[in-house]
Amino acid sequence: MSDIALLPEVRAFLQQGHDCFINGEYGRASGPAHPVVNPATGETFAEVREADPAQTDAAVNAAHHAFHGTWRDMAPLQRGAILNRLADLIDQHGEELAQLETLCSGKTIQLSRAFEVGQSSHFLRYYAGWAGKINGETLTPSLPSMQGERYTAFTLREPVGVVAGIVPWNFSLMIAIWKIASALICGCTVVIKPSEFTPFTLLRLAGLAKEAGLPDGVLNVVCGTGACGQALIEHEKISKVSFTGSMNTGRKVGAQAMQANLTRATLELGGKNAAGFLADIDTQKAVAGVMEAAYLHQGQVCAAAERFYVHRSRLDEIVDGVAAQLKQLKIGSPLDESTDFGPLSNRPHFEKVSQYFASAPDQGCEIVHGGRALDRPGFFIEPTLAVADRRDATLLQEEVFGPVACFLPFDDEEELLTLMNDSPYGLTASLWTNDLSRALRLVPRIEAGTVWVNMHTFIDPAVPFGGIKGSGIGREFGSAFIEDYTELKSVTVRY
Ligand code: NDP
């Protein structure tokens, strides 16, 4: 097979050289230029300029004006209808968005189509369905009446205002949609910043949102590095920050938001997620489970597992089975539809992951498969399988955010729980067994915001998602997002 041809719309969009989308218009930014590099070739194919402080200010002011001018007071069903139209447009322009995403992130084209496009429109439609259902409640005041007067009370759920969204490079459209859809359906407006590595999918989305009927200023996009993100967070008209990224940056973002204006912040951070395989698991299911949990998008998935604890009696056969599967993976250009496994998304990340793999043998791990960079242009590294000889091996402790499954055997359930909880993170975990009652007894003792049984990396808009411990604060999806994007106002009436 060979690379698919890029659509003329993709080339045309890149040639237009957009850097930002403010108040319903694309524009050029005047800050420093950042090269946008194709991770499959290592070549720069475009650049994006950083928004300067005046442009970030203009974006927030546009969002503030749109919040007070139109969006907050628009009938919820009208807001929902616009989100549904945007979902339709995402599907109609799916191939264009998927190609833009693959060019910037190295995600295989099949994954870009299924996740960045398919999941984004699903999530939008899910949130559109909340229109008209975000409500307060009626309350019965509890104190006795003094002179025969009576009281009644109710709560209103009011949108918080302008939301600053900051998203990472791994799923630049889908994660942005999580934030945009939940903010918009609650009546908030948005200024969002993609990573400078992957700016174009989100910039293209902004134009589609206008076409869907979103009023000017309701969704704004500014590009840039951490400095741009910080200016956004600290702006006096930002009422809420919704951040997805690493634990270290998340700490800074949370502190900046608190320091700026006691601005509320949701932090969806990294993970060092564990999967535990009990002795009774079927080998084929276990091997398929490891492949699903560890290697999707070259392991650059916050929910992916990197720590695999397997009952000692089953370790060898499962490790052998995974190694056999890894040998079959077709590594290659992400624009080739037959590719299973593409490059890492950017050079700094490639260098970081390469370093983890190079030092693994000195840090308590034997590399059983992979571990090396490929001798070809771009940021390709082999899918990697390691077996640790101690629980504090670096590959069992630090988030690599790359294509690695690191195994360690356990002997009994108590040891398994200790190992699974041995992490500063707590985003996801999975248990693999045919004994559902054992699984359900273990689930409450696992320190993670999401626990899967016999599955991993499955995210559904109806099911809340977020971390505990160092993996963050707050939840997205389900009804949980309503807490984050609305204020509760209490109204009491005497009669
Ligand atoms: P980073 O934390 O490095 O960056 C995230 C975003 O924050 C980027 O847009 C980045 O811009 C921006 N940023 C960096 N510094 C600041 C700052 N001081 N103030 C404001 N914004 C700033 O994460 P990565 O992009 O490297 O993404 C990978 C991380 O994201 C992993 O740890 C992964 O686990 C986590 N993640 C968590 C998810 C979840 O739902 N819990 C989902 C997906 C990823 P720039 O890129 O220009 O530096």
Side-chain angles (χ1 to χ4, degrees):
M1 296 279 279
S2 56
D3 283 6
I4 54 168
L6 287 184
L7 293 173
E9 298 91 303
V10 170
R11 294 186 190 285
F13 185 74
L14 292 174
Q15 270 164 13
Q16 282 158 9
H18 302 311
D19 304 312
C20 55
F21 187 86
I22 298 174
N23 205 21
E25 300 296 334
Y26 283 113
R28 300 308 308 259
S30 44
H34 300 286
V36 183
V37 175
N38 180 346
T41 62
E43 285 168 7
T44 299
F45 65 94
E47 64 171 33
V48 70
R49 283 188 173 274
E50 180 141 351
D52 69 20
Q55 283 162 323
T56 304
D57 186 51
V60 178
N61 279 322
H64 193 253
H65 187 260
F67 175 70
H68 290 285
T70 44
W71 194 247
R72 181 181 63 172
D73 299 321
M74 185 181 278
L77 281 179
Q78 284 175 290
R79 291 202 292 254
I82 292 173
L83 292 197
N84 276 323
R85 278 203 293 277
L86 179 55
D88 293 343
L89 284 171
I90 287 177
D91 287 341
Q92 283 163 29
H93 292 261
E95 185 60 17
E96 185 188 343
L97 290 164
Q99 291 189 4
L100 280 171
E101 178 62 26
T102 290
L103 277 177
C104 295
S105 73
K107 190 172 289 133
T108 61
I109 188 71
Q110 305 285 24
L111 200 58
S112 291
R113 289 170 183 158
F115 274 72
E116 298 289 2
V117 177
Q119 290 297 319
S120 291
S121 55
H122 283 322
F123 272 81
L124 266 170
R125 292 193 180 98
Y126 173 80
Y127 282 105
W130 276 99
K133 304 183 186 80
I134 298 172
N135 295 310
E137 54 184 345
T138 53
L139 305 163
T140 308
S142 59
L143 293 177
S145 154
M146 304 293 280
Q147 294 170 334
E149 79 280 16
R150 302 187 68 179
Y151 298 89
T152 191
F154 57 93
T155 55
L156 298 172
R157 281 262 166 213
E158 298 183 335
V160 293
V162 182
V163 173
I166 298 182
V167 292
W169 44 258
N170 63 331
F171 284 97
S172 66
L173 184 61
M174 184 179 73
I175 293 177
I177 287 286
W178 298 350
K179 301 184 184 316
I180 293 167
S182 42
L184 296 192
I185 203 64
C186 288
C188 302
T189 57
V190 175
V191 183
I192 192 158
K193 186 197 90 63
S195 165
E196 83 273 15
F197 293 114
T198 53
F200 295 122
T201 337
L202 193 44
L203 280 166
R204 181 66 189 100
L205 175 86
L208 294 178
K210 183 170 172 129
E211 207 177 315
L214 200 69
D216 291 350
V218 173
L219 173 64
N220 306 272
V221 180
V222 290
C223 293
T225 55
C228 172
Q230 183 167 354
L232 193 55
I233 292 163
E234 292 178 347
H235 198 289
E236 59 181 0
K237 289 181 183 155
I238 291 294
S239 300
K240 178 192 164 55
V241 174
S242 181
F243 172 83
T244 299
S246 63
M247 181 163 69
N248 284 343
T249 310
R251 277 186 211 281
K252 286 187 214 154
V253 164
Q256 285 159 12
M258 190 54 76
Q259 194 68 34
N261 274 310
L262 293 176
T263 306
R264 52 166 73 197
T266 306
L267 305 172
E268 294 290 349
L269 309 180
K272 183 70 188 176
N273 307 310
F277 291 83
L278 304 191
D280 69 312
I281 188 71
D282 169 76
T283 304
Q284 259 187 332
K285 263 195 207 159
V287 170
V290 176
M291 297 302 292
E292 167 191 323
Y295 299 106
L296 190 76
H297 189 23
Q298 293 75 259
Q300 302 163 120
V301 178
C302 59
E306 292 185 349
R307 299 185 287 143
F308 291 82
Y309 302 113
V310 179
H311 191 269
R312 192 176 298 279
S313 64
R314 310 297 308 285
L315 182 72
D316 291 346
E317 62 190 286
I318 294 176
V319 168
D320 289 349
V322 175
Q325 289 282 308
L326 292 180
K327 285 186 192 125
Q328 313 269 318
L329 283 184
K330 183 176 171 204
I331 306 175
S333 166
L335 281 171
D336 179 336
E337 288 173 330
S338 65
T339 292
D340 300 311
F341 189 91
L344 296 185
S345 286
N346 56 70
R347 181 178 296 283
H349 190 57
F350 168 76
E351 283 165 2
K352 184 182 123 187
V353 174
S354 304
Q355 186 52 41
Y356 270 119
F357 291 172
S359 61
D362 299 330
Q363 305 283 336
C365 274
E366 181 198 351
I367 301 271
V368 176
H369 179 93
R372 289 163 309 186
L374 296 193
D375 186 16
R376 59 180 285 172
F379 312 135
F380 288 87
I381 197 155
E382 292 171 313
T384 297
L385 175 56
V387 177
D389 59 20
R390 50 176 213 254
R391 64 189 272 186
D392 64 349
T394 310
L395 290 185
L396 287 176
Q397 291 296 325
E398 295 181 19
E399 184 190 36
V400 177
F401 207 53
V404 61
C406 185
F407 284 75
L408 188 74
F410 69 89
D411 291 300
D412 61 53
E413 277 176 16
E414 285 307 314
E415 186 188 6
L416 173 64
L417 286 168
T418 305
L419 291 168
M420 288 184 81
N421 292 336
D422 179 23
S423 172
Y425 294 100
L427 188 59
T428 72
S430 61
L431 279 175
W432 299 75
T433 175
N434 291 312
D435 185 342
L436 207 52
S437 54
R438 276 176 91 190
L440 291 177
R441 275 187 287 109
L442 293 173
V443 164
R445 298 178 63 195
I446 294 176
E447 296 167 1
T450 291
V451 181
W452 289 292
V453 178
N454 295 331
M455 57 196 282
H456 203 109
T457 327
F458 179 89
I459 289 174
D460 186 293
V463 182
F465 182 75
I468 62 170
K469 303 201 291 190
S471 290
I473 299 172
R475 292 288 179 274
E476 296 184 291
F477 320 158
S479 59
F481 75 96
I482 297 171
E483 290 283 327
D484 286 324
Y485 291 90
T486 60
E487 287 286 8
L488 202 55
K489 179 178 281 174
S490 300
V491 182
T492 307
V493 181
R494 180 158 59 194
Y495 62 98

